[in-house]
Amino acid sequence: MPFEADLSHALDRTTDSLDPDLTALTDGAVARGRSRRRRRTAGLVAGVGACAAVAVAGLVIPGALAGSRSDGPGMETVALAMPRSAISGDQMIKALEKTFPGGRFSRVTGQSNNPSDPSAGYVAMAGLVVDDGHGAASVGVSAVRLKLPLPGADGDGLSCEREQTPPRAEGDTCAMSELPSSAALPGGALVMSERIAAEHPAGPHTAHRWTVTVTVKSTGAQVQMVQWNSLGGGVGADLPKPTRTAPPLTEQQAVKALTGAAWAPILGAVA
Protein backbone atom coordinates (compact mmCIF):
# COMPACT_ATOMS: atom_id res chain seq x y z
CA MET A 1 0.00 0.00 0.00
CA PRO A 2 1.63 3.30 -1.06
CA PHE A 3 -0.47 5.47 1.19
CA GLU A 4 -0.57 4.23 4.78
CA ALA A 5 -2.74 7.13 5.89
CA ASP A 6 -5.51 6.09 3.50
CA LEU A 7 -5.23 2.48 4.62
CA SER A 8 -5.67 3.47 8.25
CA HIS A 9 -8.55 5.77 7.33
CA ALA A 10 -10.33 3.05 5.40
CA LEU A 11 -9.94 0.45 8.13
CA ASP A 12 -11.34 2.88 10.68
CA ARG A 13 -14.14 3.70 8.25
CA THR A 14 -15.40 0.14 8.58
CA THR A 15 -14.93 -0.37 12.30
CA ASP A 16 -16.18 3.05 13.34
CA SER A 17 -19.67 2.33 12.02
CA LEU A 18 -20.04 -0.61 14.41
CA ASP A 19 -20.35 1.53 17.52
CA PRO A 20 -21.16 5.23 17.82
CA ASP A 21 -18.98 5.53 20.94
CA LEU A 22 -15.64 4.53 19.41
CA THR A 23 -12.74 6.94 19.87
CA ALA A 24 -11.92 9.48 17.22
CA LEU A 25 -10.24 8.49 13.98
CA THR A 26 -6.57 9.40 13.74
CA ASP A 27 -4.90 10.29 10.50
CA GLY A 28 -1.14 10.81 10.50
CA ALA A 29 -1.16 12.74 7.24
CA VAL A 30 -3.05 15.76 8.56
CA ALA A 31 -3.10 17.54 11.94
CA ARG A 32 -6.53 17.97 13.49
CA GLY A 33 -8.13 21.33 13.96
CA ARG A 34 -8.64 22.71 17.47
CA SER A 35 -12.42 22.95 17.11
CA ARG A 36 -13.11 20.99 13.92
CA ARG A 37 -11.73 18.06 12.07
CA ARG A 38 -9.01 19.04 9.63
CA ARG A 39 -9.34 17.79 6.12
CA ARG A 40 -7.56 14.55 5.36
CA THR A 41 -5.09 14.46 2.49
CA ALA A 42 -4.43 11.11 0.89
CA GLY A 43 -4.54 9.17 -2.34
CA LEU A 44 -6.44 6.46 -4.07
CA VAL A 45 -6.45 3.00 -2.51
CA ALA A 46 -7.88 0.04 -4.37
CA GLY A 47 -8.63 -2.16 -1.36
CA VAL A 48 -7.68 -2.75 2.22
CA GLY A 49 -8.31 -6.42 2.93
CA ALA A 50 -11.19 -8.77 3.45
CA CYS A 51 -12.83 -6.93 6.33
CA ALA A 52 -12.11 -3.34 5.29
CA ALA A 53 -13.94 -0.81 3.17
CA VAL A 54 -12.45 0.83 0.10
CA ALA A 55 -10.83 4.24 0.52
CA VAL A 56 -10.84 6.44 -2.55
CA ALA A 57 -9.19 9.66 -3.60
CA GLY A 58 -8.64 11.08 -0.13
CA LEU A 59 -12.33 11.68 0.51
CA VAL A 60 -13.18 13.77 3.54
CA ILE A 61 -15.91 11.96 5.44
CA PRO A 62 -17.76 13.91 8.16
CA GLY A 63 -17.76 12.45 11.64
CA ALA A 64 -15.20 9.78 10.76
CA LEU A 65 -18.09 7.59 9.58
CA ALA A 66 -19.40 6.79 13.01
CA GLY A 67 -22.88 7.56 14.26
CA SER A 68 -21.39 10.50 16.14
CA ARG A 69 -17.91 11.88 16.48
CA SER A 70 -15.76 14.19 18.54
CA ASP A 71 -12.04 14.80 18.50
CA GLY A 72 -11.41 15.10 22.21
CA PRO A 73 -12.07 17.52 25.06
CA GLY A 74 -13.84 20.65 23.92
CA MET A 75 -14.50 19.31 20.44
CA GLU A 76 -17.93 19.56 18.93
CA THR A 77 -19.63 16.55 17.40
CA VAL A 78 -20.78 15.97 13.85
CA ALA A 79 -23.30 13.14 13.63
CA LEU A 80 -24.17 10.95 10.67
CA ALA A 81 -27.63 9.54 10.04
CA MET A 82 -28.17 6.21 8.36
CA PRO A 83 -29.07 6.78 4.67
CA ARG A 84 -32.68 5.98 3.86
CA SER A 85 -31.92 3.79 0.84
CA ALA A 86 -29.08 1.54 -0.19
CA ILE A 87 -26.60 2.88 -2.73
CA SER A 88 -24.31 0.40 -4.43
CA GLY A 89 -20.71 0.97 -5.31
CA ASP A 90 -21.65 0.36 -8.94
CA GLN A 91 -24.20 3.19 -8.78
CA MET A 92 -21.56 5.52 -7.44
CA ILE A 93 -19.07 4.48 -10.11
CA LYS A 94 -21.59 4.96 -12.94
CA ALA A 95 -22.57 8.40 -11.66
CA LEU A 96 -18.92 9.38 -11.38
CA GLU A 97 -18.16 8.18 -14.90
CA LYS A 98 -21.16 10.15 -16.24
CA THR A 99 -19.62 13.22 -14.67
CA PHE A 100 -16.69 12.95 -17.10
CA PRO A 101 -18.21 12.03 -20.49
CA GLY A 102 -15.58 11.00 -22.98
CA GLY A 103 -12.95 10.42 -20.31
CA ARG A 104 -10.79 7.30 -20.08
CA PHE A 105 -10.96 5.62 -16.70
CA SER A 106 -8.61 3.44 -14.68
CA ARG A 107 -8.17 2.39 -11.02
CA VAL A 108 -11.95 2.32 -10.69
CA THR A 109 -13.26 1.40 -7.25
CA GLY A 110 -16.47 1.79 -5.28
CA GLN A 111 -18.11 1.15 -1.92
CA SER A 112 -21.78 0.58 -1.08
CA ASN A 113 -23.73 1.65 1.96
CA ASN A 114 -26.37 -0.55 3.58
CA PRO A 115 -29.14 1.08 5.65
CA SER A 116 -30.30 -2.31 6.94
CA ASP A 117 -26.85 -3.19 8.26
CA PRO A 118 -24.92 -0.39 10.03
CA SER A 119 -21.81 -2.55 10.14
CA ALA A 120 -21.65 -2.28 6.35
CA GLY A 121 -21.07 1.45 6.55
CA TYR A 122 -22.85 4.78 6.35
CA VAL A 123 -20.95 6.03 3.32
CA ALA A 124 -21.24 5.27 -0.38
CA MET A 125 -18.10 6.08 -2.34
CA ALA A 126 -16.46 5.83 -5.73
CA GLY A 127 -13.04 6.73 -7.03
CA LEU A 128 -11.13 6.55 -10.27
CA VAL A 129 -8.38 8.06 -12.34
CA VAL A 130 -9.76 10.00 -15.29
CA ASP A 131 -7.82 11.10 -18.34
CA ASP A 132 -9.75 13.73 -20.29
CA GLY A 133 -6.91 14.50 -22.66
CA HIS A 134 -5.30 17.07 -20.37
CA GLY A 135 -3.52 14.66 -18.03
CA ALA A 136 -4.63 11.89 -15.69
CA ALA A 137 -6.23 12.96 -12.41
CA SER A 138 -7.48 11.11 -9.34
CA VAL A 139 -11.12 11.83 -8.50
CA GLY A 140 -13.36 10.55 -5.73
CA VAL A 141 -16.93 11.12 -4.56
CA SER A 142 -18.71 10.24 -1.31
CA ALA A 143 -22.38 10.41 -0.28
CA VAL A 144 -23.53 10.58 3.35
CA ARG A 145 -26.43 11.91 5.39
CA LEU A 146 -25.84 14.26 8.32
CA LYS A 147 -28.20 14.27 11.26
CA LEU A 148 -30.54 17.24 11.50
CA PRO A 149 -30.55 19.96 12.55
CA LEU A 150 -27.26 20.81 10.91
CA PRO A 151 -24.82 22.42 13.36
CA GLY A 152 -24.55 26.12 12.72
CA ALA A 153 -20.77 26.46 12.66
CA ASP A 154 -19.33 22.98 12.91
CA GLY A 155 -18.64 20.00 10.75
CA ASP A 156 -16.85 19.00 7.60
CA GLY A 157 -18.42 20.69 4.63
CA LEU A 158 -20.46 23.11 6.76
CA SER A 159 -17.99 25.88 7.56
CA CYS A 160 -14.54 27.24 6.77
CA GLU A 161 -12.91 27.25 10.17
CA ARG A 162 -10.21 29.91 10.33
CA GLU A 163 -9.03 29.38 13.89
CA GLN A 164 -7.11 26.19 13.31
CA THR A 165 -4.08 24.56 14.86
CA PRO A 166 -1.92 24.69 12.86
CA PRO A 167 -3.39 27.63 10.94
CA ARG A 168 -4.49 27.14 7.35
CA ALA A 169 -1.32 27.11 5.30
CA GLU A 170 -0.48 30.03 3.08
CA GLY A 171 -1.98 29.51 -0.35
CA ASP A 172 -4.63 27.03 0.82
CA THR A 173 -8.16 28.34 0.40
CA CYS A 174 -11.66 27.64 1.67
CA ALA A 175 -14.87 29.40 0.65
CA MET A 176 -18.55 28.99 1.52
CA SER A 177 -21.54 29.74 -0.68
CA GLU A 178 -25.21 28.80 -0.85
CA LEU A 179 -27.53 27.44 -3.51
CA PRO A 180 -31.19 28.49 -3.64
CA SER A 181 -34.03 26.13 -2.88
CA SER A 182 -35.21 24.00 -5.79
CA ALA A 183 -36.92 20.69 -6.46
CA ALA A 184 -33.53 18.97 -6.32
CA LEU A 185 -32.32 20.99 -3.32
CA PRO A 186 -35.29 21.59 -1.00
CA GLY A 187 -34.46 24.43 1.35
CA GLY A 188 -31.28 25.18 -0.56
CA ALA A 189 -27.77 23.87 0.02
CA LEU A 190 -24.44 24.85 1.51
CA VAL A 191 -21.38 24.61 -0.72
CA MET A 192 -17.85 24.47 0.64
CA SER A 193 -14.93 24.69 -1.79
CA GLU A 194 -11.31 24.06 -0.81
CA ARG A 195 -7.94 24.06 -2.49
CA ILE A 196 -5.17 22.38 -0.50
CA ALA A 197 -1.51 21.84 -1.44
CA ALA A 198 -0.02 18.38 -0.95
CA GLU A 199 3.00 19.93 0.77
CA HIS A 200 3.99 23.27 2.26
CA PRO A 201 5.48 25.55 1.27
CA ALA A 202 3.97 24.78 -2.11
CA GLY A 203 6.24 25.04 -5.11
CA PRO A 204 5.73 24.98 -8.88
CA HIS A 205 5.75 21.17 -8.85
CA THR A 206 3.41 20.68 -5.90
CA ALA A 207 0.19 18.74 -6.47
CA HIS A 208 -3.08 20.11 -5.14
CA ARG A 209 -6.50 18.74 -4.32
CA TRP A 210 -9.77 20.55 -4.87
CA THR A 211 -12.74 19.59 -2.69
CA VAL A 212 -16.34 20.60 -3.31
CA THR A 213 -18.94 19.59 -0.71
CA VAL A 214 -22.68 20.12 -1.23
CA THR A 215 -24.99 19.72 1.79
CA VAL A 216 -28.79 19.92 1.39
CA LYS A 217 -30.10 21.97 4.31
CA SER A 218 -33.48 20.30 4.73
CA THR A 219 -32.36 16.66 4.54
CA GLY A 220 -28.70 16.59 5.55
CA ALA A 221 -27.83 14.78 2.32
CA GLN A 222 -24.22 15.52 1.47
CA VAL A 223 -22.13 14.71 -1.58
CA GLN A 224 -18.47 15.54 -1.86
CA MET A 225 -16.08 15.51 -4.79
CA VAL A 226 -12.30 15.48 -4.38
CA GLN A 227 -10.12 16.13 -7.42
CA TRP A 228 -6.34 16.03 -7.66
CA ASN A 229 -4.19 17.43 -10.43
CA SER A 230 -2.14 14.26 -9.98
CA LEU A 231 -2.66 10.53 -9.56
CA GLY A 232 -3.60 10.98 -5.91
CA GLY A 233 -2.26 12.06 -2.55
CA GLY A 234 0.50 10.70 -0.39
CA VAL A 235 2.94 11.48 2.39
CA GLY A 236 6.71 11.78 2.56
CA ALA A 237 8.43 10.14 -0.38
CA ASP A 238 5.04 9.31 -1.89
CA LEU A 239 4.03 12.93 -2.42
CA PRO A 240 2.52 13.10 -5.90
CA LYS A 241 3.75 15.10 -8.83
CA PRO A 242 1.26 17.16 -10.84
CA THR A 243 0.04 15.65 -14.09
CA ARG A 244 -1.83 18.81 -15.11
CA THR A 245 -2.20 22.41 -13.98
CA ALA A 246 -5.86 22.30 -12.93
CA PRO A 247 -8.46 19.71 -11.89
CA PRO A 248 -10.73 18.14 -14.53
CA LEU A 249 -13.71 20.23 -13.34
CA THR A 250 -13.79 23.82 -12.15
CA GLU A 251 -15.59 24.57 -8.89
CA GLN A 252 -18.67 25.72 -10.80
CA GLN A 253 -18.66 22.61 -12.99
CA ALA A 254 -18.28 20.34 -9.96
CA VAL A 255 -21.23 22.00 -8.17
CA LYS A 256 -23.35 21.76 -11.33
CA ALA A 257 -22.47 18.07 -11.70
CA LEU A 258 -23.17 17.16 -8.07
CA THR A 259 -26.57 18.87 -8.20
CA GLY A 260 -27.42 17.61 -11.69
CA ALA A 261 -29.17 14.61 -13.19
CA ALA A 262 -26.34 12.09 -12.70
CA TRP A 263 -26.23 12.60 -8.93
CA ALA A 264 -29.92 13.33 -8.24
CA PRO A 265 -30.71 9.64 -7.52
CA ILE A 266 -27.77 9.49 -5.10
CA LEU A 267 -28.86 12.62 -3.23
CA GLY A 268 -32.41 11.26 -3.08
CA ALA A 269 -31.32 7.88 -1.73
CA VAL A 270 -29.10 9.42 0.93
CA ALA A 271 -31.82 11.84 2.03
Side-chain angles (χ1 to χ4, degrees), residues 17-241:
S17 60
L18 297 175
D19 188 338
D21 295 322
L22 293 177
T23 56
L25 173 66
T26 58
D27 188 339
V30 184
R32 295 188 184 273
R34 175 178 298 156
S35 61
R36 310 291 191 275
R37 272 156 293 281
R38 293 293 308 275
R39 305 297 178 262
R40 290 156 175 91
T41 305
L44 182 68
V45 174
V48 292
C51 65
V54 178
V56 288
L59 293 171
V60 182
I61 307 300
L65 310 191
S68 63
R69 235 36 195 146
S70 70
D71 284 336
M75 301 300 176
E76 298 178 61
T77 295
V78 179
L80 296 187
M82 183 57 71
R84 302 187 191 281
S85 301
I87 304 171
S88 71
D90 285 343
Q91 284 179 280
M92 294 292 291
I93 290 169
K94 289 178 181 178
L96 188 53
E97 290 179 342
K98 288 180 181 178
T99 305
F100 302 95
R104 294 179 296 170
F105 308 117
S106 59
R107 302 189 192 178
V108 179
T109 185
Q111 175 176 295
S112 306
N113 65 21
N114 188 348
S116 64
D117 181 8
S119 66
Y122 289 66
V123 183
M125 297 186 292
L128 50 76
V129 171
V130 58
D131 191 336
D132 57 2
H134 300 285
S138 178
V139 180
V141 174
S142 67
V144 298
R145 178 173 163 238
L146 305 186
K147 286 185 177 179
L148 297 176
L150 297 176
D154 183 32
D156 292 318
L158 300 178
S159 69
C160 289
E161 176 56 44
R162 296 301 180 182
E163 294 183 5
Q164 301 184 70
T165 304
R168 191 179 299 278
E170 183 177 357
D172 291 352
T173 63
C174 181
M176 296 296 302
S177 59
E178 295 194 30
L179 299 176
S181 180
S182 65
L185 304 170
L190 298 173
V191 178
M192 187 175 75
S193 303
E194 290 183 291
R195 178 180 182 268
I196 305 293
E199 60 181 337
H200 299 93
H205 302 295
T206 300
H208 287 75
R209 65 173 171 87
W210 287 258
T211 303
V212 171
T213 308
V214 177
T215 309
V216 182
K217 293 181 182 179
S218 63
T219 66
Q222 185 181 84
V223 288
Q224 180 185 85
M225 177 179 290
V226 175
Q227 303 179 87
W228 288 85
N229 64 336
S230 68
L231 295 180
V235 294
D238 291 318
L239 280 170
K241 299 299 181 184

